[in-house]
Amino acid sequence: MRTAPAPLPRLRLASAVYRFRESLFALPALIVVAGVVAAEVTAVLDRTVEDADSAPWTVDMQTNAATWLLSTVAGATITTAGVVFSLTVVSLQLASSQFSPRVMRSFIRDRFSQTVIGMLVATFVFCVLTLRHVGGDATSPAPSIAMTVSLVLTVATVMLIVAYLDRLAHRLQVGEVVRSISNEADLVIEAMTRAAEREVPAGPVRFDESADDVTVLAHADGWVSQAPTEYILHAIPPSTVVRLETRPGAYIRRGEVLMRIHPAPQDAERVRARLLATVTIGDARTMQQDFDFGLRQLVDIALRALSPAINDPTTAIEVVLRLGSLLRIVLVAPEQEVSVGGPDGRVLVRPWLLSPDEYIGHAFDEIRRTSAGQVHVTLALIRVLRMLVEHVRDAGRPEHVPALERQIRMVLETASDRTDIHPEDLALLEAVARSAVDPAEHRLD
């Protein structure tokens, strides 16, 4: 019998790590603290070492030169930090207006940008604190270890600034934004697959609402970001069924039913508190357990590209190709069971999980409707759908074929109803829809 882990510590740690990555303050603050510690440690080392010969590979300079150097570096780094902050804010504004407000999080959570900001402020703090230990005699020797560290920090910070500008220029390219979102969605799929492989199906479970049920109400308004199965099962007594009335990625309101428990446990309030602790409700939607949010971000980029204000069908085609790559994985991955069993007769029922067919609709419905007049985008959409049809058939998952062929049929019907599509273009669309070849840009004879 498998024993479930204690829920709260690991769950809270996972949430804290995710919030840490999403913060533009946390990592820079830690680096600044490291700068403060380094300044004090080097001061102690300099007091311990009596002469320069005892500390090899250090820089020797007089107090006046050291004061000038530290003052210059401190002023330059704090000024550059302001410039980097400005560039970061501008990149966030460009990402929001050009792509989608939902892709801003991929810029905020960029570790390299956070490191550069932290290094700039840490170098400033190190230099300012080191100035306290520089003597007043202009010709006396300056603390060699501290001066060496300050020079190393200065050179490292300059190189980081150059690398940051290069990285920022690349990250603002739409291909890089789409790739970053797709990579994160890949990680979510891998996590979903691992979780599905560990779960034990419980079979059909009848859950009738009755007076004997206990309801758990949501304690806050927001997006459900985590609802881990093993922790929920650990929180309920043996021989108990709990029904999750939401899913990761859904919005829930304070006072709405979050879960139902049957039969009613003896210590109902304690069980309620344990179950509430297993579900994380946040102010913003995240991809912790929500693959559909990755699709949402990619679709938003495609819709913005297809809008009359931007009119960039090539970006929409790139998004369609990325969506096809993600669905190639998720459509053949093990599906999450609606009913999951745990130790000692515990059962979790999750009726609101998204199905693969719903993922197909979320990925292509809005793009299909918006791209009806863009023949190139429509061609790419049909080719990707045909590729997915052949892929799921080869993988032994033919149950997904009707949903994919339905999308192809609706694309063709929408195109045939339009009067601004040339008959030869319409014939090409129909030929591609019937073809089972690789979806490459070529003419079908």
Side-chain angles (χ1 to χ4, degrees), residues 253-274:
R253 297 159 187 84
R254 183 194 302 270
E256 284 188 337
V257 177
L258 181 66
M259 301 182 198
R260 299 183 189 274
I261 314 168
H262 181 83
Q266 294 181 352
D267 51 349
E269 291 303 320
R270 180 173 174 271
V271 173
R272 279 197 185 100
R274 287 169 60 87

Side-chain angles (χ1 to χ4, degrees), residues 151-184:
L151 287 175
V152 171
L153 286 176
T154 301
V155 174
T157 303
V158 170
M159 297 304 297
L160 283 174
I161 293 170
V162 176
Y164 171 76
L165 295 175
D166 176 75
R167 183 179 178 85
L168 183 62
H170 285 87
R171 281 183 60 80
L172 286 174
Q173 298 177 13
V174 64
E176 181 66 18
V177 175
V178 173
R179 183 197 63 80
S180 175
I181 297 172
S182 299
N183 288 347
E184 188 177 359

